[in-house]
Amino acid sequence: MKYKRGAIMDIENKLNTKAFKFFDWLFGFVVINLITIILSIFIITLLPAFVAAYATIKGFKENGPTKVIRTYFKNFKKYSEKSFIIGLFIIIIIVVAAFSMWFYGNQFEVTNPIGQAGFWVMIAVLLLVFLFSLHVPLIIINFESFGILDTIRIAIFVCFRYFISSLVIIIADIVMVIGILALPIWVLIGISLPIFLIIKFTEPTYYYLHKIEIEKIIERAKEIENEEDDFGN
């Protein structure tokens, strides 16, 4: 009889523990989601907000959800400078490309080769910006030693070299956008849940990049480039 009671208590404890973890994670997701939405309203803080969300969820995945608000703003402060500059760069490129598309589309005849060429070049620029921006938050939080230019270059490289990971991010981003249709749910977990899935499914790619010590490879490439410049001078 005592054995049965003990077994029942063990089962109840496990269920309570699982339930507690579930609601702990749910609370963390909701808080991250709400803060990210609020900070993203200002546009120029959109990338810093998303980078902070990525970093916070990655930390929760490794250590469990604790002190969610403090952790989020700690990450926001930690990565704000780099992500703000890169985000501003992306916004400027998008604005310039969009204006150029309007210019080529309205100031030239439809059959004009210059207008056609300019229009499609700007389309290509926007596509490239979209693709490399997919991995920017992950590059920033996984390789903190990279400068702004290195972050952009590696993001472009990873985007095309590891296309499956890029495809996963694209699908998750589409879900993130379409999720607005289910507004009440989207406000609660429409951003944080897709980010969690992105981190989970791109983990092998970034584990491999850490394993090959890509930071050291980049540093060595810079040293060789500097040595060649010194030799040329």
Side-chain angles (χ1 to χ4, degrees), residues 24-41:
D24 206 20
W25 271 95
L26 182 61
F27 174 76
F29 276 6
V30 170
V31 171
I32 291 170
N33 211 80
L34 292 173
I35 298 175
T36 303
I37 290 172
I38 293 170
L39 292 178
S40 298
I41 293 173

Side-chain angles (χ1 to χ4, degrees), residues 2-183:
K2 290 182 179 179
Y3 175 77
K4 288 183 178 179
R5 286 180 179 176
I8 292 171
M9 288 181 67
D10 287 340
I11 293 171
E12 288 178 347
N13 289 333
K14 288 180 180 179
L15 290 174
N16 288 333
T17 301
K18 288 182 179 180
F20 176 79
K21 286 182 178 179
F22 171 78
F23 286 108
D24 206 20
W25 271 95
L26 182 61
F27 174 76
F29 276 6
V30 170
V31 171
I32 291 170
N33 211 80
L34 292 173
I35 298 175
T36 303
I37 290 172
I38 293 170
L39 292 178
S40 298
I41 293 173
F42 302 101
I43 304 299
I44 59 172
T45 55
L46 190 148
L47 184 59
F50 269 77
V51 171
Y54 270 84
T56 305
I57 292 173
K58 183 175 183 290
F60 286 178
K61 187 174 180 299
E62 295 170 354
N63 306 310
T66 56
K67 300 178 181 177
V68 57
I69 297 176
R70 182 186 299 180
T71 303
Y72 184 98
F73 282 105
K74 181 180 178 181
N75 287 323
F76 185 86
K77 181 180 179 181
K78 181 179 181 180
Y79 299 108
S80 61
E81 183 178 351
K82 187 188 297 184
S83 55
F84 175 80
I85 294 172
I86 295 175
L88 188 61
F89 170 76
I90 292 172
I91 291 171
I92 291 172
I93 294 296
I94 291 173
V95 170
V96 171
F99 175 79
S100 299
M101 287 172 61
W102 173 85
F103 177 80
Y104 287 117
N106 288 275
Q107 301 300 317
F108 292 87
E109 295 289 339
V110 177
T111 56
N112 188 295
I114 296 176
Q116 286 288 313
F119 183 85
W120 288 107
V121 166
M122 289 303 106
I123 290 287
V125 169
L126 286 175
L127 180 60
L128 180 62
V129 169
F130 168 73
L131 290 173
F132 97 75
S133 65
L134 295 174
H135 285 273
V136 165
L138 290 165
I139 297 293
I140 290 175
I141 67 175
N142 278 285
F143 304 105
E144 297 177 16
S145 66
F146 283 164
I148 293 168
L149 291 178
D150 286 336
T151 299
I152 294 173
R153 284 189 294 211
I154 295 302
I156 294 172
F157 165 76
V158 173
C159 172
F160 291 100
R161 176 63 179 82
Y162 302 98
F163 184 72
I164 299 299
S165 292
S166 301
L167 187 61
V168 167
I169 299 174
I170 290 171
I171 293 171
D173 286 347
I174 291 172
V175 171
M176 200 181 294
V177 173
I178 294 176
I180 297 176
L181 298 174
L183 192 61

